Amino acid sequence: QVQLVESGGGLVQAGGSLSLSCAASGRTYAMGWFRQAPGKEREFVAAINWPGTIRNYADSVKGRFTISRDNTKNTVYLQMNSLKPEDTAVYYCAAKATVSFGTFALLSDYDYWGQGTQVTVSS
């Protein structure tokens, strides 16, 4: 069982930046970020595999968000720049424990989920 703990959410003005972190209690293969706004379904944001050779982004965040990971710390990061009010959501970290292939953009790709951290972007 792998536990995920997110941190770094908060309130920021439009155009600002925030950085999220997610620390895993054990080794993982792929890690991703999803988000869920009120009244909407949880959606894919970004994903990265263990060697960092696969990095995928939702079209809505490409060029603004950057996912990275530090395998020595079992931690994944999401740097969010040029934030927009529509980025407001609860952001969830997800992890897949075993080696696999794909885009890692589906909820079903992941074995473990964090509790979420709120990101609010004011206009």
Side-chain angles (χ1 to χ4, degrees):
Q1 189 79 6
V2 174
Q3 294 184 331
L4 305 175
V5 178
E6 302 107 331
S7 61
L11 173 64
V12 65
Q13 288 188 332
S17 298
L18 278 176
S19 181
L20 305 182
S21 299
C22 172
S25 61
R27 185 168 174 171
T28 62
Y29 184 68
M31 297 189 77
W33 290 96
F34 289 74
R35 66 186 182 186
Q36 188 166 18
K40 295 188 176 182
E41 294 185 350
R42 194 171 297 189
E43 64 176 8
F44 170 72
V45 176
I48 186 170
N49 65 346
W50 188 84
T53 54
I54 297 175
R55 303 187 193 212
N56 289 322
Y57 298 93
D59 288 343
S60 59
V61 306
K62 279 181 182 177
R64 300 188 299 121
F65 291 11
T66 301
I67 190 168
S68 61
R69 66 188 294 167
D70 184 341
N71 292 330
T72 65
K73 299 179 180 179
N74 292 329
T75 299
V76 66
Y77 306 94
L78 186 67
Q79 177 65 40
M80 304 184 293
N81 298 327
S82 303
L83 282 161
K84 305 175 181 180
E86 50 264 44
D87 294 318
T88 295
V90 177
Y91 283 68
Y92 295 91
C93 175
K96 180 167 183 61
T98 56
V99 177
S100 64
F101 300 93
T103 62
F104 306 112
L106 302 177
L107 277 70
S108 58
D109 287 333
Y110 296 90
D111 305 308
Y112 305 104
W113 292 85
Q115 294 299 308
T117 185
Q118 177 70 46
V119 171
T120 303
V121 184
S122 63
S123 57

